[in-house]
Amino acid sequence: MDLLTWSDIIIQIVLRLGPVWVALVILFLVSFRFKRSLGLYGKLFDSTIGMIGFAIVMFWVFAGFFAGALDWITTHDPLAQFSGMKNKVPGTPLRGAEDGDFSHFLLGGDHLARDVFSRMIAGSTIVIIIAPMATLFAFMVGITLGVPAGYYGGRLDTTISFIANLILAFPVILLFYLLVTPEIRLTGLPQYMAVVLFLFPLIFFTVLVNSRFHIVPTKRNALLGIGLAVLGILYISLINEAGSKISFLSSIDLFDVDAGLLTVFVSVVFVNAPTVFRIVRGLTMDIKTRDYVAAAQTRGEGAWYIMLWEILPNARGPLIVDFCLRIGYTTILLGTLGFFGLGLAPEDPNWGATINDGRKLLSIYPHPALVPSIALLSLVLGLNLLADGLREESLKD
Amino acid sequence: MALFILRRIAIMLFTSLCLTFVVFFLTNLYPNLEKMAKTQGNFRMNDEAVLSFLENRGYLLPLPVKYGEWLGVYPGYVIEGSDGEIRGRCFKSDQIPSEAPRYCGILQGYWGYSTRFKSDVWGIVTTRLGLTGILMFWVMALMVPSALIIGILAGMREGSRTDRSLSTFSIVTTATPEYVSGVILIAVFASSAFGLKWFKGTATAAMDNPNLENFFLPVVTIAIYGMGYIARMTRASMAEVMTAQYIRTARLKGVSFPNIVLKHALRNALIAPFTVIMLQFPWLLNGVVIVETLFNYKGFGWALVQAAGNNDIELLLGVSVVSVFVVLVTQLISDIGYVYLNPRISVT
């Protein structure tokens, strides 16, 4: 077995990523075929920048999904150490490879003789799950607080804005160091924060349904009953963890979230929510002066109906764009956490931690740190381009 | 105007009080204190030893009392320890205990004692801040002019090829966090694998003697991430100004294009970027922490990481006060500057 040349490495990687290309091609063909009937999503395919961004983002989504759910693409176990592969350059043949093992380390080995390529792909699984989810929760918190603050103004606005500014005045890294340590986890503080922060989607859903359907009580009760049952079970499963400060109702505790992961998740939501709040508040203050809001007020609609069914849908354009940008920013924050070794387990293949591991030998063996760096850069770049394309297209009409 | 500034200063003070209390609360949670005691004493201390260690040094007093001591509105503790030694918050090593002042806190100008560095917090904060100041100065000197030039060049002819390529460049830089660009820059310019070795991959030597070789990479790393954002703001504002009526009038009058950009458009186009540049300071602080860790430059950000990693309560508080101060003062300057630059806006 010989060392692979760079062209061989590229060919092997492209082949290895086969399922991703297939999925991308199918997605683009279908989207192109039906782009006129797909609303804003379809319009995205009119903008080159937007399409490039979307392709990069979906590349990572598919790669992360296939690797995480189906165990494709990765060539070796991302946590396994192989003897003799320490700090080996890209394309090194695996020493003592047995039948069925992939024969090479495509992008080399890291300082603990693990496969860099597999770790990079495995790292994408974590990012594509946590970053959008955390951003979604941050939006739930930001919207639930921001819309009433902007609509009512006055003392409510002053109070919430002050708290938001307070959180924003913290240097993010200091906040992470204060919130994401094993010691803080012992006190249960992240879980208490989770109890509060994860409640917002439930509140949002309840108010959303009630404000619209309170005149048709049977429909409202049915919707609320089903929705709250599902959300409630998810909520209880999320915040509950056996053997920690919060463990009750263990019979309906469906799954346990790793304590480190929960802490990371909560703190990322906590850091993002104030910015979302400020954006939503600003948009609401702008939109509430429009005629259709005045019309709804004259009709005698309830305040919450106006906020959630008149103002919020009309703020969706900037919010969708910011959502894409914010997923990118969340990815950067997750990388920052990994870079400082906070939160997840040290052997975890998330990109930030891998960069941090690799940087110690950067001047001699740059590849273990370069690979996840470029992966992270490309994902965030894809999200930024996607946001740019969406902004351009949503401004057109 | 004076009233506006006074009100803002009052809000600033209140914000700082709230923030330091939050930091104080979090660092004084028992598991954190226990970790600190173990790093101070030794790692094999049992629970009882930890308890008496903390008790003797006044860490187990009620939280408001400790916070009052730190602020200097409550007399510092004097505790006769279980080992017979009398310890006091305000005792200095060469002082007779009876001569020690009763109050010692921020209000008396005493910022506390760093358990990690074994010296006065004020001294550490000022020396580290000085080192970071040099870094920040060069970052600003590189970032602001290049971002403004990129933004103006891109915005003066919207939609042109220059605009497209410069805008793409700005998007790429905003997608490159410091730990990514730092790693890539070190790998390309300082590693033996690529063989360029133009610059040094560490900035430790730059603390005494900053020069191009050891200081260029950290400065560029921070500048890149902030540059794209300022450039995009400048571009947007420039593009908007270029569509204004008075620019068209100037063109119809026959003023040359460079003259239009420099004399007519520039001043109005720079109002929005000014606020953005001021608001970049808090973001730069984050970049500073990452870059100082990456390049091993022992400045303010490095001190923050050291203090947080070792639960060094009083140093962490000092660091928070300074960074919160930076954030709020830049916000204030940005608001005031906005009013001065833009006569259409008034605060009253």
Side-chain angles (χ1 to χ4, degrees), chain B residues 8-75:
Chain B
R8 289 295 296 261
I9 290 175
I11 295 176
M12 262 168 67
L13 283 177
F14 186 56
T15 312
S16 318
L17 272 180
C18 292
L19 282 178
T20 46
F21 188 77
V22 171
V23 176
F24 205 81
F25 168 74
L26 288 170
T27 46
N28 274 286
L29 290 170
Y30 190 73
N32 273 335
L33 289 178
E34 191 179 337
K35 182 176 90 171
M36 189 211 56
K38 284 185 174 169
T39 40
Q40 288 301 301
N42 68 64
F43 283 98
R44 282 188 295 276
M45 281 207 289
N46 58 15
D47 291 352
E48 226 167 281
V50 168
L51 213 61
S52 67
F53 179 95
L54 294 174
E55 180 96 63
N56 291 345
R57 285 160 185 79
Y59 284 113
L60 296 184
L61 294 168
L63 192 68
V65 172
K66 283 190 286 186
Y67 187 62
E69 284 179 353
W70 178 78
L71 271 183
V73 295
Y74 197 87

Coordinates of all heavy atoms in Angstrom, one line a residue, chain B residues 8-75:
Chain B
R8 N -27.5 58.4 30.8 CA -26.8 57.2 30.3 C -25.7 56.7 31.3 O -25.6 55.5 31.5 CB -26.1 57.5 29.0 CG -27.0 57.7 27.8 CD -27.8 56.4 27.5 NE -26.8 55.4 27.1 CZ -26.7 55.1 25.8 NH1 -27.3 55.7 24.9 NH2 -25.8 54.1 25.5
I9 N -25.0 57.7 32.0 CA -24.0 57.2 32.9 C -24.7 56.5 34.1 O -24.2 55.5 34.6 CB -23.2 58.5 33.4 CG1 -22.3 58.9 32.2 CG2 -22.3 58.1 34.6 CD1 -21.5 60.1 32.4
A10 N -25.8 57.1 34.5 CA -26.5 56.4 35.7 C -26.9 55.0 35.3 O -26.7 54.0 36.0 CB -27.8 57.2 36.0
I11 N -27.5 54.8 34.0 CA -27.8 53.5 33.6 C -26.6 52.6 33.5 O -26.6 51.4 33.9 CB -28.5 53.5 32.2 CG1 -29.8 54.3 32.3 CG2 -28.7 52.1 31.6 CD1 -30.5 54.5 31.0
M12 N -25.5 53.2 33.1 CA -24.2 52.4 33.0 C -23.8 51.9 34.4 O -23.4 50.7 34.5 CB -23.1 53.3 32.5 CG -22.8 53.2 31.0 SD -21.7 54.5 30.5 CE -20.2 54.1 31.3
L13 N -23.9 52.8 35.4 CA -23.5 52.3 36.7 C -24.4 51.2 37.2 O -23.9 50.2 37.7 CB -23.5 53.5 37.7 CG -22.4 54.5 37.6 CD1 -22.6 55.7 38.5 CD2 -21.1 53.8 37.9
F14 N -25.7 51.4 37.0 CA -26.6 50.4 37.4 C -26.3 49.0 36.7 O -26.3 48.0 37.3 CB -28.1 50.8 37.1 CG -29.1 49.9 37.7 CD1 -29.1 49.6 39.0 CD2 -30.1 49.4 36.9 CE1 -30.1 48.8 39.5 CE2 -31.0 48.5 37.4 CZ -31.0 48.2 38.7
T15 N -26.1 49.1 35.4 CA -25.8 47.9 34.6 C -24.5 47.2 35.2 O -24.5 46.0 35.4 CB -25.5 48.2 33.1 OG1 -26.6 49.1 32.7 CG2 -25.5 47.0 32.3
S16 N -23.5 48.0 35.4 CA -22.3 47.4 36.0 C -22.5 46.7 37.3 O -22.0 45.6 37.6 CB -21.2 48.5 36.2 OG -21.2 49.3 35.1
L17 N -23.3 47.4 38.2 CA -23.7 46.8 39.5 C -24.3 45.4 39.2 O -24.0 44.4 39.9 CB -24.6 47.7 40.2 CG -23.9 48.7 41.1 CD1 -24.9 49.6 41.8 CD2 -23.0 48.1 42.1
C18 N -25.3 45.4 38.4 CA -26.1 44.1 38.1 C -25.1 43.1 37.6 O -25.1 41.9 38.1 CB -27.2 44.3 37.1 SG -28.5 45.4 37.7
L19 N -24.3 43.5 36.6 CA -23.4 42.5 36.0 C -22.4 41.9 37.0 O -22.2 40.7 37.0 CB -22.7 43.1 34.8 CG -23.5 43.2 33.5 CD1 -22.7 43.9 32.5 CD2 -24.0 41.9 33.1
T20 N -21.8 42.8 37.7 CA -20.8 42.3 38.7 C -21.5 41.4 39.7 O -20.9 40.4 40.1 CB -20.0 43.4 39.4 OG1 -21.0 44.4 39.8 CG2 -19.0 44.1 38.5
F21 N -22.7 41.7 40.1 CA -23.4 40.9 41.0 C -23.6 39.5 40.4 O -23.5 38.5 41.1 CB -24.7 41.5 41.5 CG -25.3 40.7 42.6 CD1 -24.8 40.8 43.9 CD2 -26.4 39.9 42.4 CE1 -25.3 40.1 45.0 CE2 -26.9 39.1 43.4 CZ -26.4 39.2 44.7
V22 N -24.0 39.4 39.1 CA -24.2 38.1 38.5 C -22.9 37.3 38.5 O -22.9 36.2 38.9 CB -24.7 38.3 37.0 CG1 -24.7 37.0 36.3 CG2 -26.1 38.9 37.1
V23 N -21.8 38.0 38.1 CA -20.5 37.3 38.1 C -20.2 36.8 39.5 O -19.7 35.7 39.7 CB -19.4 38.3 37.6 CG1 -18.0 37.6 37.7 CG2 -19.7 38.7 36.2
F24 N -20.4 37.7 40.5 CA -20.1 37.4 41.9 C -20.9 36.2 42.3 O -20.4 35.3 42.9 CB -20.5 38.6 42.7 CG -19.8 38.7 44.0 CD1 -18.5 39.2 44.0 CD2 -20.3 38.2 45.2 CE1 -17.8 39.2 45.2 CE2 -19.6 38.3 46.4 CZ -18.3 38.8 46.4
F25 N -22.2 36.2 42.0 CA -23.1 35.1 42.3 C -22.6 33.8 41.7 O -22.4 32.7 42.4 CB -24.5 35.4 41.9 CG -25.4 34.2 42.0 CD1 -25.9 33.8 43.2 CD2 -25.8 33.5 40.8 CE1 -26.7 32.7 43.3 CE2 -26.7 32.4 40.9 CZ -27.1 32.0 42.1
L26 N -22.3 33.8 40.4 CA -21.9 32.6 39.8 C -20.5 32.0 40.3 O -20.3 30.8 40.4 CB -21.8 32.8 38.2 CG -23.2 32.9 37.5 CD1 -23.0 33.4 36.1 CD2 -23.9 31.6 37.6
T27 N -19.6 32.9 40.5 CA -18.3 32.5 41.0 C -18.3 32.0 42.4 O -17.5 31.3 42.9 CB -17.2 33.5 40.8 OG1 -17.7 34.8 41.3 CG2 -16.8 33.7 39.4
N28 N -19.3 32.5 43.2 CA -19.4 32.1 44.6 C -20.3 30.9 44.8 O -20.6 30.6 46.0 CB -19.9 33.3 45.4 CG -18.7 34.2 45.8 OD1 -17.9 33.8 46.7 ND2 -18.6 35.3 45.2
L29 N -20.7 30.2 43.8 CA -21.5 29.0 44.0 C -20.5 28.0 44.6 O -19.3 27.9 44.3 CB -22.0 28.5 42.7 CG -23.2 29.3 42.1 CD1 -23.5 28.8 40.6 CD2 -24.4 29.2 42.9
Y30 N -21.1 27.1 45.5 CA -20.2 26.3 46.3 C -19.2 25.4 45.5 O -18.0 25.3 45.8 CB -21.0 25.5 47.3 CG -20.0 24.8 48.3 CD1 -19.4 25.6 49.3 CD2 -19.7 23.5 48.2 CE1 -18.5 25.0 50.1 CE2 -18.8 22.9 49.1 CZ -18.2 23.7 50.0 OH -17.3 23.1 50.9
P31 N -19.7 24.7 44.4 CA -18.8 23.9 43.7 C -17.6 24.7 43.1 O -16.4 24.2 43.1 CB -19.6 23.3 42.5 CG -21.0 23.3 43.0 CD -21.1 24.6 43.9
N32 N -17.8 25.9 42.7 CA -16.7 26.8 42.2 C -15.8 27.1 43.3 O -14.5 27.1 43.1 CB -17.3 28.1 41.6 CG -17.7 27.9 40.2 OD1 -17.1 27.1 39.5 ND2 -18.6 28.7 39.7
L33 N -16.3 27.4 44.5 CA -15.4 27.7 45.6 C -14.6 26.5 46.0 O -13.4 26.6 46.3 CB -16.3 28.2 46.8 CG -16.9 29.5 46.7 CD1 -17.8 29.8 48.0 CD2 -15.9 30.6 46.6
E34 N -15.2 25.3 45.9 CA -14.5 24.1 46.3 C -13.3 23.9 45.3 O -12.2 23.6 45.7 CB -15.5 23.0 46.2 CG -15.0 21.7 46.8 CD -16.0 20.6 46.7 OE1 -17.2 20.8 46.6 OE2 -15.5 19.4 46.7
K35 N -13.6 24.1 44.0 CA -12.5 23.9 43.0 C -11.4 24.9 43.3 O -10.2 24.5 43.3 CB -13.1 24.2 41.6 CG -12.1 24.0 40.5 CD -12.6 24.1 39.2 CE -12.5 25.5 38.7 NZ -12.9 25.7 37.3
M36 N -11.8 26.2 43.6 CA -10.7 27.2 43.9 C -9.9 26.8 45.1 O -8.7 26.9 45.1 CB -11.4 28.5 44.1 CG -10.4 29.6 44.2 SD -11.0 30.9 45.3 CE -11.3 30.0 46.7
A37 N -10.6 26.3 46.2 CA -9.9 25.9 47.4 C -8.9 24.8 47.1 O -7.8 24.8 47.6 CB -10.9 25.5 48.4
K38 N -9.4 23.9 46.2 CA -8.5 22.7 45.9 C -7.3 23.2 45.1 O -6.2 22.6 45.3 CB -9.3 21.6 45.2 CG -10.1 20.9 46.2 CD -10.8 19.7 45.6 CE -11.5 18.9 46.7 NZ -12.5 17.9 46.2
T39 N -7.5 24.1 44.2 CA -6.3 24.5 43.4 C -5.4 25.4 44.3 O -4.2 25.4 44.1 CB -6.7 25.4 42.2 OG1 -7.8 26.2 42.5 CG2 -7.1 24.5 41.0
Q40 N -6.0 26.1 45.3 CA -5.2 26.9 46.1 C -4.4 26.1 47.1 O -3.2 26.2 47.3 CB -6.0 27.9 47.0 CG -6.6 29.0 46.1 CD -5.6 29.8 45.5 OE1 -4.7 30.4 46.2 NE2 -5.5 29.9 44.2
G41 N -5.1 25.2 47.8 CA -4.5 24.3 48.8 C -3.9 23.2 48.1 O -2.9 23.3 47.4
N42 N -4.5 22.0 48.3 CA -4.0 20.9 47.4 C -5.2 20.1 47.0 O -6.3 20.1 47.6 CB -2.9 20.1 48.1 CG -3.5 19.3 49.3 OD1 -4.4 18.4 49.1 ND2 -3.0 19.6 50.5
F43 N -5.0 19.3 45.9 CA -6.2 18.6 45.3 C -6.7 17.4 46.1 O -7.8 16.9 45.9 CB -5.8 18.1 43.9 CG -5.7 19.2 42.9 CD1 -4.6 19.8 42.5 CD2 -6.9 19.6 42.3 CE1 -4.6 20.8 41.6 CE2 -6.9 20.7 41.4 CZ -5.7 21.3 41.1
R44 N -5.9 17.0 47.1 CA -6.4 15.9 47.9 C -7.1 16.3 49.2 O -7.3 15.5 50.1 CB -5.2 14.9 48.2 CG -4.8 14.1 47.0 CD -3.8 13.0 47.4 NE -2.5 13.7 47.8 CZ -1.6 14.0 47.0 NH1 -1.8 13.9 45.7 NH2 -0.5 14.6 47.4
M45 N -7.4 17.6 49.3 CA -8.1 18.0 50.5 C -9.5 17.3 50.6 O -10.2 17.2 49.6 CB -8.4 19.6 50.4 CG -7.2 20.4 50.8 SD -7.6 22.0 51.4 CE -8.2 22.8 49.9
N46 N -9.8 16.9 51.9 CA -11.2 16.3 52.0 C -12.2 17.5 52.3 O -11.8 18.6 52.4 CB -11.2 15.3 53.2 CG -10.7 16.0 54.5 OD1 -10.7 17.2 54.6 ND2 -10.4 15.1 55.5
D47 N -13.4 17.1 52.3 CA -14.5 18.1 52.4 C -14.4 19.0 53.6 O -14.6 20.2 53.5 CB -15.9 17.4 52.5 CG -16.2 16.7 51.2 OD1 -15.4 16.9 50.2 OD2 -17.2 15.9 51.1
E48 N -13.9 18.4 54.7 CA -13.8 19.2 55.9 C -12.7 20.3 55.8 O -12.9 21.4 56.1 CB -13.4 18.3 57.1 CG -14.2 18.5 58.4 CD -14.0 17.3 59.3 OE1 -14.6 16.2 59.1 OE2 -13.1 17.4 60.2
A49 N -11.6 19.8 55.2 CA -10.5 20.8 55.0 C -10.9 21.9 54.1 O -10.5 23.1 54.3 CB -9.3 20.0 54.4
V50 N -11.6 21.6 53.0 CA -12.1 22.6 52.1 C -13.0 23.6 52.9 O -12.8 24.8 52.7 CB -12.9 21.9 51.0 CG1 -13.7 23.0 50.1 CG2 -12.0 21.1 50.1
L51 N -13.9 23.0 53.7 CA -14.8 23.9 54.4 C -14.1 24.9 55.3 O -14.4 26.1 55.4 CB -15.7 23.0 55.2 CG -17.1 23.5 55.4 CD1 -17.8 23.7 54.1 CD2 -18.0 22.6 56.3
S52 N -13.0 24.4 56.1 CA -12.3 25.2 57.0 C -11.5 26.2 56.2 O -11.3 27.4 56.6 CB -11.5 24.4 58.0 OG -10.5 23.8 57.4
F53 N -10.9 25.8 55.1 CA -10.1 26.7 54.2 C -11.0 27.9 53.8 O -10.6 29.0 53.9 CB -9.6 25.9 53.0 CG -8.8 26.7 52.0 CD1 -7.5 26.8 52.1 CD2 -9.5 27.5 51.1 CE1 -6.7 27.5 51.2 CE2 -8.7 28.3 50.2 CZ -7.3 28.3 50.2
L54 N -12.2 27.6 53.4 CA -13.1 28.6 52.9 C -13.6 29.5 54.0 O -13.6 30.7 54.0 CB -14.3 28.0 52.1 CG -14.0 27.3 50.8 CD1 -15.2 26.6 50.3 CD2 -13.4 28.3 49.8
E55 N -13.9 28.8 55.1 CA -14.4 29.5 56.3 C -13.4 30.5 56.8 O -13.7 31.7 57.1 CB -14.6 28.5 57.4 CG -15.2 29.1 58.7 CD -16.7 29.0 58.8 OE1 -17.2 27.8 58.8 OE2 -17.3 30.0 58.8
N56 N -12.1 30.1 56.9 CA -11.0 30.9 57.4 C -10.8 32.2 56.5 O -10.3 33.2 57.0 CB -9.7 30.2 57.5 CG -9.8 29.1 58.6 OD1 -10.7 29.2 59.5 ND2 -8.9 28.2 58.6
R57 N -11.1 32.0 55.3 CA -10.8 33.1 54.3 C -12.0 33.9 54.0 O -12.0 34.7 53.0 CB -10.1 32.6 53.1 CG -8.7 32.3 53.4 CD -8.1 31.3 52.4 NE -6.7 30.9 52.7 CZ -6.4 30.0 53.6 NH1 -7.4 29.4 54.3 NH2 -5.2 29.7 53.9
G58 N -13.1 33.8 54.7 CA -14.3 34.6 54.6 C -15.1 34.3 53.4 O -15.9 35.1 53.0
Y59 N -14.9 33.1 52.8 CA -15.7 32.8 51.6 C -17.1 32.3 51.9 O -17.9 32.3 51.0 CB -15.0 31.7 50.7 CG -13.8 32.3 49.9 CD1 -12.5 31.9 50.2 CD2 -14.0 33.2 48.9 CE1 -11.4 32.3 49.5 CE2 -12.9 33.7 48.2 CZ -11.6 33.2 48.5 OH -10.6 33.7 47.8
L60 N -17.3 31.9 53.1 CA -18.6 31.4 53.4 C -19.6 32.4 54.1 O -20.6 32.0 54.5 CB -18.5 30.1 54.4 CG -17.7 29.0 53.7 CD1 -17.6 27.8 54.6 CD2 -18.3 28.6 52.4
L61 N -19.2 33.6 54.1 CA -20.1 34.7 54.6 C -21.3 34.8 53.6 O -21.1 34.4 52.5 CB -19.4 36.0 54.7 CG -18.2 36.1 55.7 CD1 -17.4 37.3 55.5 CD2 -18.8 36.1 57.1
P62 N -22.4 35.4 54.1 CA -23.5 35.5 53.1 C -23.1 36.3 51.9 O -22.3 37.2 52.0 CB -24.6 36.3 54.0 CG -24.2 36.1 55.4 CD -22.7 35.9 55.4
L63 N -23.8 36.0 50.8 CA -23.4 36.6 49.5 C -23.5 38.1 49.5 O -22.5 38.8 49.1 CB -24.3 36.0 48.4 CG -23.9 36.4 47.0 CD1 -22.6 35.7 46.6 CD2 -24.9 36.0 46.0
P64 N -24.6 38.8 50.0 CA -24.6 40.2 50.0 C -23.5 40.8 50.8 O -22.9 41.9 50.4 CB -26.0 40.5 50.7 CG -26.8 39.3 50.5 CD -25.8 38.2 50.5
V65 N -23.1 40.2 51.9 CA -22.0 40.7 52.7 C -20.7 40.7 51.9 O -20.0 41.7 51.9 CB -21.8 39.8 54.0 CG1 -20.6 40.2 54.8 CG2 -23.1 39.9 54.9
K66 N -20.4 39.6 51.3 CA -19.2 39.5 50.5 C -19.2 40.5 49.3 O -18.2 41.1 49.1 CB -19.1 38.1 49.9 CG -18.6 37.0 50.9 CD -18.3 35.7 50.2 CE -19.6 35.0 49.8 NZ -19.3 33.7 49.3
Y67 N -20.4 40.7 48.7 CA -20.4 41.6 47.6 C -20.2 43.0 48.2 O -19.5 43.8 47.5 CB -21.8 41.5 46.9 CG -21.9 42.4 45.7 CD1 -21.1 42.1 44.6 CD2 -22.8 43.4 45.6 CE1 -21.2 42.9 43.5 CE2 -22.9 44.2 44.5 CZ -22.1 43.9 43.4 OH -22.2 44.7 42.3
G68 N -20.8 43.3 49.4 CA -20.6 44.6 50.0 C -19.2 44.9 50.3 O -18.6 46.0 50.1
E69 N -18.5 43.8 50.8 CA -17.0 44.0 51.1 C -16.3 44.3 49.8 O -15.4 45.2 49.8 CB -16.5 42.6 51.6 CG -16.9 42.3 53.0 CD -16.3 41.0 53.4 OE1 -15.7 40.2 52.6 OE2 -16.4 40.6 54.6
W70 N -16.6 43.6 48.7 CA -15.9 43.8 47.5 C -16.1 45.3 47.0 O -15.2 45.9 46.5 CB -16.3 42.8 46.4 CG -15.7 43.0 45.1 CD1 -14.4 42.7 44.7 CD2 -16.2 43.7 44.0 NE1 -14.2 43.0 43.5 CE2 -15.3 43.6 42.9 CE3 -17.5 44.2 43.7 CZ2 -15.5 44.2 41.7 CZ3 -17.7 44.8 42.4 CH2 -16.7 44.7 41.4
L71 N -17.4 45.7 47.1 CA -17.7 47.1 46.7 C -17.1 48.1 47.6 O -16.8 49.2 47.2 CB -19.2 47.3 46.7 CG -20.0 47.0 45.5 CD1 -21.5 47.3 45.7 CD2 -19.5 47.8 44.3
G72 N -16.9 47.8 48.9 CA -16.3 48.7 49.9 C -17.4 49.5 50.6 O -17.1 50.5 51.2
V73 N -18.6 48.9 50.7 CA -19.6 49.5 51.5 C -19.9 48.7 52.8 O -20.7 49.1 53.6 CB -20.9 49.7 50.7 CG1 -20.8 50.6 49.6 CG2 -21.4 48.3 50.2
Y74 N -19.2 47.7 53.0 CA -19.3 46.8 54.2 C -18.0 46.5 54.7 O -17.0 46.3 53.9 CB -20.1 45.5 53.8 CG -20.7 44.8 54.9 CD1 -21.9 45.1 55.4 CD2 -19.9 43.8 55.6 CE1 -22.5 44.4 56.5 CE2 -20.5 43.1 56.7 CZ -21.8 43.4 57.1 OH -22.3 42.7 58.2
P75 N -17.7 46.6 56.0 CA -16.4 46.4 56.5 C -15.8 45.0 56.2 O -16.6 44.1 56.2 CB -16.5 46.6 58.0 CG -18.0 46.6 58.3 CD -18.7 47.0 57.1

